[in-house]
Amino acid sequence: MSTATAEQSAPTAAPVRFWDRQRRLGVGLVLIGLVATILFGALAAAETARFTLSEDAEGAALSINGQLGAILFGVVALAAGGLLLAGLLRAYQTLVLSLGILAFVLSFLCWQVAGKFLPLVDTASGTLELAVPLILGALAGVLGERSGVVNVAIEGQFLMGAFGAALVGTMATSVWAGVISAAVGGVLIAAILAVLAIRYLVDQVVVGIVLNLLALGVTGFLYERLMQPDAQAYNQPPKMPEWRIPGLADIPVVGPVLFHTNGLVWLALILVFVVHFGLTRTRWGLRTRAVGEHPTAADTVGVRVRGLRYLNVLLGGVIAGAGGAYFTLVATGSFNKNMTSGAGFIALAALIFGRWTPFGALGAALFFGFAQKLATYLSAVGSPVPSQFLNMLPYLATIVAVAGLVGRVRAPAADGQPYIKS
């Protein structure tokens, strides 16, 4: 074989892509690092920013000059972006990215807290509590969509759960009766979704939207005809108590947040681990993932595709219904028309942003909860930054993630596709 022939037959090396995912992330971090360093540093007052463990300005865990802190953390974000842009530390790019985003957030907080104080425990507790319904709703979506059923009806399950918790909790004067009724309300919506989507092959997105409107109409009608005329008898459920674990609750910051709280917080966190373990370490999880990726192949090895989809959608209804109990038993203490205010769609966004995984959904829900809590704080301290802008950030982040700008985001292959047994 001649040299020319050998060169022609030799495999050509794959072209090196300079603008790969890491460098795109690096460009983004460099840009927000510049914003933090120049803009936040210029706007921040040269006064002390106090991050306190108490709910007042005393007992500061961290005190830093606001202007200096904004510039310092902006430089850290800029350095992290530079490392990614240079193609360095590829094995640790997720860690570097997380460090850069955290530095940007801290730079923003130094600007906003300069001359004021931010209570760390209250902020962390508020973030976790606001994230609870989003965690439970996103887990319901994980169970449905990992088995191939799109659950757009999370909002309706929240509403039915909130209504059931308020009504039965009031009549039985029991928090736990309210939680159980909330789960039943979520299952009712989930059962209708399952029958129409799995048995009658109706478009799953359309069914979800219709069920949301159905739940809104039914709960609104019953609220006006039943609850509003006699709130004392039908719409004053007991508040969910907070439990305190001695010793663990005394741990700084973490203790009051995790070990001095209500049962729904613990339920949400425990379910994240349970669902993750179930999906990755059990036969049920293997079959669920198979049904969501390739139902025909799963059917050929004896998996009951439709039966498993029914089971997972109903389990998701139980979890989402329990998330609805948060609105009446924890947040407000009574039911109001359309009180969930689109939380089900936020949970759906957290599911997508979290890449259809339990821990991803947890992280996304905490991010959403933190943005809501921070918006409340900024409104209270009279910040020039509109609170609506902060409430908008999680949705912008979701759009960026879905667009693939931070890596490929792929739903299960059979998600939303009805299965017709051949």
Side-chain angles (χ1 to χ4, degrees):
M1 181 181 295
S2 64
T3 304
T5 304
E7 290 176 352
Q8 292 175 357
S9 61
T12 58
V16 178
R17 296 178 57 192
F18 180 80
W19 291 108
D20 57 6
R21 174 177 180 267
Q22 176 168 329
R23 288 187 169 90
R24 291 200 304 270
L25 293 174
V27 171
L29 271 185
V30 167
L31 291 177
I32 66 173
L34 288 174
V35 169
T37 305
I38 299 174
L39 182 61
F40 297 168
L43 295 177
E47 301 179 40
T48 303
R50 295 180 176 86
F51 300 87
T52 68
L53 296 179
S54 60
E55 295 185 3
D56 52 30
E58 301 299 324
L62 173 65
S63 297
I64 188 172
N65 181 279
Q67 189 174 57
L68 177 62
I71 296 174
L72 177 62
F73 289 119
V75 170
V76 172
L78 192 60
L83 289 175
L84 295 179
L85 186 58
L88 303 175
L89 301 177
R90 287 189 174 273
Y92 304 98
Q93 61 176 297
T94 301
L95 180 61
V96 175
L97 175 64
S98 301
L99 177 63
I101 294 175
L102 177 62
F104 175 78
V105 172
L106 291 175
S107 176
F108 176 80
L109 288 178
C110 285
W111 166 36
Q112 292 298 307
V113 181
K116 309 178 186 69
F117 70 95
L118 177 69
L120 295 177
V121 174
D122 179 70
T123 301
S125 297
T127 296
L128 186 56
E129 282 202 3
L130 289 170
V132 164
L134 307 183
I135 296 170
L136 294 173
L139 287 178
V142 168
L143 290 175
E145 300 203 19
R146 291 302 289 267
S147 55
V149 180
V150 174
N151 188 358
V152 183
I154 298 173
E155 177 78 1
Q157 293 166 349
F158 276 171
L159 269 175
M160 290 296 288
F163 178 82
L167 179 64
V168 178
T170 302
M171 296 175 65
T173 63
S174 170
V175 169
W176 307 115
V179 173
I180 294 172
S181 300
V184 172
V187 166
L188 289 176
I189 298 296
I192 301 174
L193 170 66
V195 170
L196 293 178
I198 300 171
R199 174 67 178 84
Y200 294 102
L201 311 181
V202 182
D203 185 279
Q204 297 171 11
V205 175
V206 173
V207 170
I209 295 173
V210 170
L211 289 176
N212 290 334
L213 296 175
L214 173 66
L216 178 61
V218 169
T219 57
F221 173 79
L222 292 176
Y223 170 76
E224 290 182 350
R225 294 302 180 92
L226 185 66
M227 288 182 167
Q228 202 170 36
D230 193 357
Q232 184 72 28
Y234 301 110
N235 196 19
Q236 288 190 358
K239 292 277 287 187
M240 181 167 286
E242 291 189 348
W243 295 332
R244 187 180 190 278
I245 300 179
L248 295 178
D250 297 326
I251 301 174
V253 183
V254 177
V257 175
L258 294 180
F259 304 111
H260 189 187
T261 186
N262 62 77
L264 281 180
V265 172
W266 293 345
L267 176 65
L269 296 178
I270 290 171
L271 281 177
V272 169
F273 287 92
V274 170
V275 173
H276 173 77
F277 179 83
L279 286 175
T280 58
R281 295 290 188 270
T282 66
R283 179 181 298 179
W284 164 79
L286 176 62
R287 292 181 173 181
T288 294
R289 288 182 283 124
V291 166
E293 294 291 342
H294 204 310
T296 303
D299 193 9
T300 59
V301 296
V303 178
R304 296 177 62 246
V305 175
R306 288 187 173 182
L308 191 57
R309 286 185 172 183
Y310 272 114
L311 173 64
N312 289 342
V313 171
L314 293 177
L315 286 175
V318 171
I319 295 174
Y326 164 85
F327 297 97
T328 49
L329 301 181
V330 177
T332 61
S334 63
F335 179 81
N336 291 299
K337 291 173 64 176
N338 195 24
M339 67 182 306
T340 54
S341 301
F345 297 106
I346 301 177
L348 192 62
L351 163 70
I352 298 171
F353 192 57
R355 298 170 182 258
W356 288 268
T357 63
F359 282 107
L362 170 64
L366 290 174
F367 171 57
F368 281 41
F370 175 72
Q372 293 178 37
K373 182 64 179 178
L374 190 58
T376 303
Y377 167 80
L378 293 182
S379 298
V381 299
S383 169
V385 178
S387 60
Q388 293 84 351
F389 176 76
L390 287 174
N391 289 328
M392 180 179 64
L393 285 181
Y395 303 101
L396 292 178
T398 302
I399 293 172
V400 169
V402 174
L405 299 180
V406 293
R408 189 180 180 189
V409 177
R410 186 185 70 86
D415 192 18
Q417 300 178 8
Y419 178 66
I420 304 174
K421 189 177 178 68
S422 56

